[in-house]
Structure formats: C-alpha cells, structure tokens
Amino acid sequence: MHAAILSYFTGIFASNNLCCDDSLFDDFAPRVSDEQNVMLDRPFNGEEVKTTLFSMFPDKAPGPDGMNSGFYQQFWSVVGEDVTRFIMHALNSGEFPEGLNDTNIILIPKKEVPETVADLRPIALSNVIYRIMAKMLTNRMKTLMSDLISESQSAFIPSRLITDNILVAAEVGHYLNRKQCGAVGWSALKLDMSKAYDRMEWKFLERMLVVLGFSEKWIQLIMLCVTTVNYTVMVNRCLEVEQADNFGKYLGLPSFVGRNKRAVFAYVEEKIRQRIGSWSKKMLSQAGKEVLLKSVAQSMPTFSMSIFLLPETVCQSIERTMNKFWWGSGRDRGIHWKAWDMLCVPKKYGGLSFKELRAFNLAMLGKQAWRFLTNPGSLATRIYKARYYPTTGFVDATIGRCLSFCWRSIMAAHPTVTAGVRRRIGNGQSTLIWGHPWLPDGPSPLIQTNILEELREARVTGLIDPQSSTWDPHILSDIFIPEDVNRILKIPVSPDYDDSWYWMGDPKGTYTVKNAYRRIVGDFESNPGTFD
C-alpha cells in the first residue's frame, strides 16, 4: 500500500520538463496595470497580519506544527508580536525559512471500500503561519481576479457563484437533448476535472504571471509559495468521512431532468431517509432530535433546491420521514400528535420552527431570480435572457415554450421576487414610468394613472427637471392623477446615481432566503388562534 501511494503521488507531483515557449503566450496582453502592481508590491504591515488571522476559522485541522488558528487567536496577546515580526520579514524580504511550507496530506476515502489510490481524496494541511501568509497574498489579489479570470469560471471569484455554471450546463444539456435534426450538429464534452486541473507545470504558471503583467517581486512571492512546499503523505491516517452518492453527476446534481422528475430526485429523498434511519437506532431527547433535523436533515437538500424545484411528492415524502422520526421513539413509530405543517409554525406562536420544504425551495430559487434581476452582466443571466426573454427585462419575463427544467424552476419563484422588489430612483434613466414598481406602497407601488400609449416605454428621467435635479411639477400635473403626483413628490431624486433594485423588508435592500421564506409562508401574527 505504501509503495502504491508513493508511486501515485510521485507521478502527480513530478515535472514532465516541458518548455514554455509556445506561441500561445504571445496572444495574451498584460492585464495588470502599473497602479495595481504598486498596490500589490506595497510593504506588508502588522494590521494585515492580525486581520487575516482573525478572519480564519479557529477550529480548522492543524498542519505539521500541530496548531490551529484558534490557538493564535486565543493567545494573540502573547504570541502576536513575534508572529507579526516573522511574517512581515518573510513577505517583505521574499525569504521563506526551511520547513515553513511543510504540508501533510490526509487521505479521505471517496467510497466505503477504497480499491485504488484514486479512491482516496487528498486534503492538504499546512502550518497556520504559512496559511496566514498565503491568505494575505490572496486578499491583495482578490480585487484583480474578475479582470484576470474568464467569466466562464464562476467559482472562487467575488460576485460569482458556482451555481451559475450549473444553470449554464443544464441549459446546454436541455438544448442538446431537444436538437434531434438539422444539418449542423452539436455536442458537449465532459472533461475529467482531475486530469485537467490537478497538475500544473511551475514554468507554465510563472510564464502566465509574466505575460499577464505582474511585477517581478509579486511573481517571486507566488513562486516561493508554490516551489517551497514539502509534502508528507499520512498513509496510516485516513479520515472516515462519508461521501455523498451520485458523485458522478455534474457537481453532484442531475445534468438533465426528464419527464419522471420523482425518479430523478429520488437520490435526495433516499439520502435523507438513510441519514435519519441511522439516528433511529439511538435514544435521543426531543431537543437532540430538533437539532439533528434542523442542522442536518433540512440542510441536506439545499444545494439541489437552489437550482431545481423539487416535486411536491418528494418534499412531502421527506417531511413525512422527518415527522415520523420526531414522534417516534427508537424503532417505535409513536403517535403523531401534530401534523408537520403545525410543527413548522414559529416557536413564538406555538410551533417548533421547522421548515416547510416547498416554501424553502421557492425561497432558495428566488436567490437565482434575484441574481438574474440585479446582475444582468453575468454569463448565466445573459444566456437565459437570450433564450427566454430577449426583448424584455426579467420582471416582465414569461415562462415561454420548450423550456428547460431550470428555467421552469426559477420562474416558480418569479412571482415572489417581483412582488418583493422595488426600484430605488437615482437618475431615473433605467426605470419605466409604467411597468416598474417605484412608488411608495399604498395602494400599489405601480402608477395608478391610466397608461398613455405614446409613453409606454417612457423613463422616469423624463419627469425630472435637469436644471434643478428635482421633479418637474408641471409635467407631473399634466400626466398623472393627484394621488400619483403626491406619491412621486415624496421620492428623493439622486441624479449622480443609477437606478437600482432593492428588496423590501431587508435593511440592506438585499434579497435573503430567510426574508423570502417568511414572505411565502405568510404572516402568523394576523391569525395566531389558528395554531393554538
């Protein structure tokens, strides 16, 4: 076993001694400006060290030094000065002492009985001091990444989500499945991610940093992080971590959803049933059951729910399984004194605050709808707009025909999102007078004056006096009824800012799953007697 593991990792980490004189590099223009290089190369300071350390999770697994970040956070008053001095010297001088970048590799089984080394997932555990240094470099590069990395890479970049690529892949799969004829054919190529990205030649990385325009000092720091690592594979220390089923799917989700949706999403139901079944063997208190159901069982389907609208039968089956576990005792069934919907009532009204899965599913999908509305430049949004609402905005989008299941799922949350958003008026250039909700509520955020056909596409900016940057009272009185005029005059104008969407009920105006879930399930204060 030792020989097989040694041979496997030696093959991964060994260089092929390839030269990097490919003409490919001539096609890249520098993307890092002189100002950005000045920002990257400025001396590191002690405040950066402390801020970075305290932004790390305190209980992450330790590396060869045996310490986790929680130790340094707890005793910062004792070790802080020495740690800061060491890190600042290493980064500002570009000198890494021997052993700093030593890293243990722990092997996690991908399946119950691993048969080959490829069935073991390697997890790298480095020293905390090195992690702080690497994170400091990462923090400085964050602001540049959106300009350096292609928009098709949706993970690990601020303002991008990995679910964007799932939506794109699902839409491509839907198109390929529908295209059965024609002179031109299309195909999709699924790459082995481990073969494509697990290995990279150091010379290639260094050359890419050069052609992108990074400074020599910054390249030296990056290459020090890469080239000074010393791996130790912990052969006899395999963490017993359970691997999710259906790993062969695209990022763990179905790449295509056919007619039998119950069968497609049966894996979600089965996974939760198996997990709850393992708890039934234990004698748990009601408080213990509550914690397990809320923190584990109800969170297991969230990734699937963020992309797909699960069939109601699947949601109901999961809820029945959880309800059975809640009222049961060990392997005994027990009497169900309350239905599941009663247990989902907030605790202040006599319930237990469990989630109604269908409502939670819609709230999760609403986050995708919110991104389509507020982030029109993302790759996923542009693809779905070109396919389903090319001539309108997302607010006016309709479900259409020959649609993919992802679009059908997102449109299920469309009424919830459009009912909860409002326009914040800046210069008024992108807000429709009729059609967009931009007035204070009561009786409605929409203009109540009958629409004038010649002004159907008119923008709010036409109602603003460009000289005084305030509402033009003459135009308002000529077009609108008095009630609308009074409501418009209450809205402040900010001509230096663009119009934007905001979510009602959130202090920051941002859509949250929690707030949307409350909106979907309704207001319990209006009829508390129902839940007595």
Side-chain angles (χ1 to χ4, degrees), residues 447-464:
I447 289 289
Q448 299 300 297
T449 304
N450 292 331
I451 188 171
L452 303 176
E453 193 60 37
E454 59 271 20
L455 297 178
R456 179 175 294 276
E457 298 298 323
R459 307 291 198 234
V460 171
T461 186
L463 309 177
I464 300 174

PDB file of all heavy atoms in Angstrom, residues 447-464:
ATOM      1  N   ILE A 447     -47.735  52.956 -10.862  1.00  0.00           N
ATOM      2  CA  ILE A 447     -48.514  54.164 -11.211  1.00  0.00           C
ATOM      3  C   ILE A 447     -49.979  53.779 -11.425  1.00  0.00           C
ATOM      4  O   ILE A 447     -50.289  52.808 -12.124  1.00  0.00           O
ATOM      5  CB  ILE A 447     -47.941  54.800 -12.490  1.00  0.00           C
ATOM      6  CG1 ILE A 447     -46.572  55.441 -12.203  1.00  0.00           C
ATOM      7  CG2 ILE A 447     -48.899  55.828 -13.058  1.00  0.00           C
ATOM      8  CD1 ILE A 447     -46.623  56.686 -11.366  1.00  0.00           C
ATOM      9  N   GLN A 448     -50.896  54.543 -10.810  1.00  0.00           N
ATOM     10  CA  GLN A 448     -52.320  54.251 -10.917  1.00  0.00           C
ATOM     11  C   GLN A 448     -52.989  54.977 -12.082  1.00  0.00           C
ATOM     12  O   GLN A 448     -54.080  54.606 -12.513  1.00  0.00           O
ATOM     13  CB  GLN A 448     -53.020  54.635  -9.613  1.00  0.00           C
ATOM     14  CG  GLN A 448     -52.509  53.856  -8.400  1.00  0.00           C
ATOM     15  CD  GLN A 448     -52.707  52.358  -8.562  1.00  0.00           C
ATOM     16  OE1 GLN A 448     -53.832  51.874  -8.654  1.00  0.00           O
ATOM     17  NE2 GLN A 448     -51.595  51.618  -8.609  1.00  0.00           N
ATOM     18  N   THR A 449     -52.335  56.019 -12.590  1.00  0.00           N
ATOM     19  CA  THR A 449     -52.870  56.737 -13.742  1.00  0.00           C
ATOM     20  C   THR A 449     -52.899  55.811 -14.956  1.00  0.00           C
ATOM     21  O   THR A 449     -51.958  55.040 -15.177  1.00  0.00           O
ATOM     22  CB  THR A 449     -51.990  57.964 -14.053  1.00  0.00           C
ATOM     23  OG1 THR A 449     -51.908  58.789 -12.881  1.00  0.00           O
ATOM     24  CG2 THR A 449     -52.576  58.767 -15.205  1.00  0.00           C
ATOM     25  N   ASN A 450     -53.971  55.891 -15.739  1.00  0.00           N
ATOM     26  CA  ASN A 450     -54.073  55.075 -16.947  1.00  0.00           C
ATOM     27  C   ASN A 450     -52.893  55.351 -17.877  1.00  0.00           C
ATOM     28  O   ASN A 450     -52.501  56.501 -18.081  1.00  0.00           O
ATOM     29  CB  ASN A 450     -55.385  55.362 -17.680  1.00  0.00           C
ATOM     30  CG  ASN A 450     -56.595  54.875 -16.898  1.00  0.00           C
ATOM     31  OD1 ASN A 450     -56.502  53.911 -16.136  1.00  0.00           O
ATOM     32  ND2 ASN A 450     -57.722  55.549 -17.073  1.00  0.00           N
ATOM     33  N   ILE A 451     -52.348  54.279 -18.429  1.00  0.00           N
ATOM     34  CA  ILE A 451     -51.170  54.402 -19.264  1.00  0.00           C
ATOM     35  C   ILE A 451     -51.487  55.129 -20.567  1.00  0.00           C
ATOM     36  O   ILE A 451     -52.533  54.921 -21.181  1.00  0.00           O
ATOM     37  CB  ILE A 451     -50.570  53.004 -19.566  1.00  0.00           C
ATOM     38  CG1 ILE A 451     -49.225  53.152 -20.281  1.00  0.00           C
ATOM     39  CG2 ILE A 451     -51.530  52.144 -20.364  1.00  0.00           C
ATOM     40  CD1 ILE A 451     -48.472  51.831 -20.406  1.00  0.00           C
ATOM     41  N   LEU A 452     -50.570  55.999 -20.954  1.00  0.00           N
ATOM     42  CA  LEU A 452     -50.668  56.686 -22.230  1.00  0.00           C
ATOM     43  C   LEU A 452     -49.823  55.913 -23.237  1.00  0.00           C
ATOM     44  O   LEU A 452     -48.640  55.687 -23.020  1.00  0.00           O
ATOM     45  CB  LEU A 452     -50.164  58.131 -22.106  1.00  0.00           C
ATOM     46  CG  LEU A 452     -50.880  58.991 -21.046  1.00  0.00           C
ATOM     47  CD1 LEU A 452     -50.229  60.357 -20.941  1.00  0.00           C
ATOM     48  CD2 LEU A 452     -52.352  59.132 -21.401  1.00  0.00           C
ATOM     49  N   GLU A 453     -50.424  55.483 -24.318  1.00  0.00           N
ATOM     50  CA  GLU A 453     -49.754  54.581 -25.257  1.00  0.00           C
ATOM     51  C   GLU A 453     -48.446  55.162 -25.772  1.00  0.00           C
ATOM     52  O   GLU A 453     -47.450  54.439 -25.924  1.00  0.00           O
ATOM     53  CB  GLU A 453     -50.690  54.263 -26.426  1.00  0.00           C
ATOM     54  CG  GLU A 453     -50.216  53.105 -27.286  1.00  0.00           C
ATOM     55  CD  GLU A 453     -50.079  51.814 -26.490  1.00  0.00           C
ATOM     56  OE1 GLU A 453     -50.911  51.575 -25.590  1.00  0.00           O
ATOM     57  OE2 GLU A 453     -49.131  51.050 -26.772  1.00  0.00           O
ATOM     58  N   GLU A 454     -48.422  56.470 -26.040  1.00  0.00           N
ATOM     59  CA  GLU A 454     -47.190  57.070 -26.559  1.00  0.00           C
ATOM     60  C   GLU A 454     -46.085  57.147 -25.506  1.00  0.00           C
ATOM     61  O   GLU A 454     -44.925  57.412 -25.834  1.00  0.00           O
ATOM     62  CB  GLU A 454     -47.473  58.476 -27.114  1.00  0.00           C
ATOM     63  CG  GLU A 454     -48.049  59.453 -26.107  1.00  0.00           C
ATOM     64  CD  GLU A 454     -49.569  59.405 -26.053  1.00  0.00           C
ATOM     65  OE1 GLU A 454     -50.144  58.387 -26.484  1.00  0.00           O
ATOM     66  OE2 GLU A 454     -50.167  60.390 -25.579  1.00  0.00           O
ATOM     67  N   LEU A 455     -46.446  56.940 -24.239  1.00  0.00           N
ATOM     68  CA  LEU A 455     -45.452  56.980 -23.164  1.00  0.00           C
ATOM     69  C   LEU A 455     -45.204  55.589 -22.556  1.00  0.00           C
ATOM     70  O   LEU A 455     -44.661  55.482 -21.458  1.00  0.00           O
ATOM     71  CB  LEU A 455     -45.910  57.936 -22.056  1.00  0.00           C
ATOM     72  CG  LEU A 455     -46.061  59.409 -22.454  1.00  0.00           C
ATOM     73  CD1 LEU A 455     -46.565  60.223 -21.262  1.00  0.00           C
ATOM     74  CD2 LEU A 455     -44.741  59.981 -22.955  1.00  0.00           C
ATOM     75  N   ARG A 456     -45.579  54.539 -23.274  1.00  0.00           N
ATOM     76  CA  ARG A 456     -45.467  53.187 -22.730  1.00  0.00           C
ATOM     77  C   ARG A 456     -44.027  52.854 -22.329  1.00  0.00           C
ATOM     78  O   ARG A 456     -43.785  52.197 -21.321  1.00  0.00           O
ATOM     79  CB  ARG A 456     -45.983  52.175 -23.742  1.00  0.00           C
ATOM     80  CG  ARG A 456     -45.883  50.724 -23.273  1.00  0.00           C
ATOM     81  CD  ARG A 456     -46.508  49.773 -24.266  1.00  0.00           C
ATOM     82  NE  ARG A 456     -47.951  49.982 -24.357  1.00  0.00           N
ATOM     83  CZ  ARG A 456     -48.832  49.430 -23.524  1.00  0.00           C
ATOM     84  NH1 ARG A 456     -48.418  48.657 -22.531  1.00  0.00           N
ATOM     85  NH2 ARG A 456     -50.124  49.650 -23.670  1.00  0.00           N
ATOM     86  N   GLU A 457     -43.048  53.277 -23.120  1.00  0.00           N
ATOM     87  CA  GLU A 457     -41.641  52.981 -22.844  1.00  0.00           C
ATOM     88  C   GLU A 457     -40.907  54.160 -22.208  1.00  0.00           C
ATOM     89  O   GLU A 457     -39.673  54.154 -22.135  1.00  0.00           O
ATOM     90  CB  GLU A 457     -40.929  52.577 -24.136  1.00  0.00           C
ATOM     91  CG  GLU A 457     -41.479  51.320 -24.783  1.00  0.00           C
ATOM     92  CD  GLU A 457     -41.327  50.106 -23.879  1.00  0.00           C
ATOM     93  OE1 GLU A 457     -40.295  50.007 -23.180  1.00  0.00           O
ATOM     94  OE2 GLU A 457     -42.238  49.253 -23.867  1.00  0.00           O
ATOM     95  N   ALA A 458     -41.643  55.163 -21.750  1.00  0.00           N
ATOM     96  CA  ALA A 458     -41.007  56.348 -21.169  1.00  0.00           C
ATOM     97  C   ALA A 458     -40.325  56.025 -19.850  1.00  0.00           C
ATOM     98  O   ALA A 458     -40.779  55.171 -19.091  1.00  0.00           O
ATOM     99  CB  ALA A 458     -42.051  57.447 -20.972  1.00  0.00           C
ATOM    100  N   ARG A 459     -39.237  56.724 -19.580  1.00  0.00           N
ATOM    101  CA  ARG A 459     -38.455  56.529 -18.359  1.00  0.00           C
ATOM    102  C   ARG A 459     -38.737  57.641 -17.351  1.00  0.00           C
ATOM    103  O   ARG A 459     -39.166  58.748 -17.703  1.00  0.00           O
ATOM    104  CB  ARG A 459     -36.961  56.482 -18.662  1.00  0.00           C
ATOM    105  CG  ARG A 459     -36.547  55.486 -19.731  1.00  0.00           C
ATOM    106  CD  ARG A 459     -36.736  54.080 -19.241  1.00  0.00           C
ATOM    107  NE  ARG A 459     -35.958  53.135 -20.047  1.00  0.00           N
ATOM    108  CZ  ARG A 459     -36.451  52.077 -20.643  1.00  0.00           C
ATOM    109  NH1 ARG A 459     -37.730  51.813 -20.532  1.00  0.00           N
ATOM    110  NH2 ARG A 459     -35.698  51.259 -21.333  1.00  0.00           N
ATOM    111  N   VAL A 460     -38.431  57.346 -16.100  1.00  0.00           N
ATOM    112  CA  VAL A 460     -38.679  58.298 -15.013  1.00  0.00           C
ATOM    113  C   VAL A 460     -37.842  59.552 -15.179  1.00  0.00           C
ATOM    114  O   VAL A 460     -38.236  60.641 -14.735  1.00  0.00           O
ATOM    115  CB  VAL A 460     -38.403  57.619 -13.658  1.00  0.00           C
ATOM    116  CG1 VAL A 460     -38.439  58.630 -12.519  1.00  0.00           C
ATOM    117  CG2 VAL A 460     -39.413  56.504 -13.401  1.00  0.00           C
ATOM    118  N   THR A 461     -36.688  59.429 -15.856  1.00  0.00           N
ATOM    119  CA  THR A 461     -35.822  60.605 -16.020  1.00  0.00           C
ATOM    120  C   THR A 461     -36.536  61.739 -16.738  1.00  0.00           C
ATOM    121  O   THR A 461     -36.198  62.918 -16.542  1.00  0.00           O
ATOM    122  CB  THR A 461     -34.545  60.211 -16.796  1.00  0.00           C
ATOM    123  OG1 THR A 461     -33.651  61.316 -16.830  1.00  0.00           O
ATOM    124  CG2 THR A 461     -34.861  59.790 -18.218  1.00  0.00           C
ATOM    125  N   GLY A 462     -37.552  61.417 -17.566  1.00  0.00           N
ATOM    126  CA  GLY A 462     -38.308  62.455 -18.264  1.00  0.00           C
ATOM    127  C   GLY A 462     -39.170  63.288 -17.345  1.00  0.00           C
ATOM    128  O   GLY A 462     -39.682  64.338 -17.764  1.00  0.00           O
ATOM    129  N   LEU A 463     -39.365  62.855 -16.109  1.00  0.00           N
ATOM    130  CA  LEU A 463     -40.171  63.600 -15.142  1.00  0.00           C
ATOM    131  C   LEU A 463     -39.329  64.521 -14.269  1.00  0.00           C
ATOM    132  O   LEU A 463     -39.858  65.223 -13.413  1.00  0.00           O
ATOM    133  CB  LEU A 463     -40.946  62.630 -14.241  1.00  0.00           C
ATOM    134  CG  LEU A 463     -41.768  61.541 -14.943  1.00  0.00           C
ATOM    135  CD1 LEU A 463     -42.402  60.633 -13.904  1.00  0.00           C
ATOM    136  CD2 LEU A 463     -42.816  62.152 -15.855  1.00  0.00           C
ATOM    137  N   ILE A 464     -37.996  64.504 -14.481  1.00  0.00           N
ATOM    138  CA  ILE A 464     -37.076  65.267 -13.636  1.00  0.00           C
ATOM    139  C   ILE A 464     -36.607  66.514 -14.383  1.00  0.00           C
ATOM    140  O   ILE A 464     -36.225  66.446 -15.556  1.00  0.00           O
ATOM    141  CB  ILE A 464     -35.870  64.400 -13.230  1.00  0.00           C
ATOM    142  CG1 ILE A 464     -36.347  63.164 -12.459  1.00  0.00           C
ATOM    143  CG2 ILE A 464     -34.888  65.200 -12.396  1.00  0.00           C
ATOM    144  CD1 ILE A 464     -35.246  62.175 -12.145  1.00  0.00           C
TER     145      ILE A 464
END
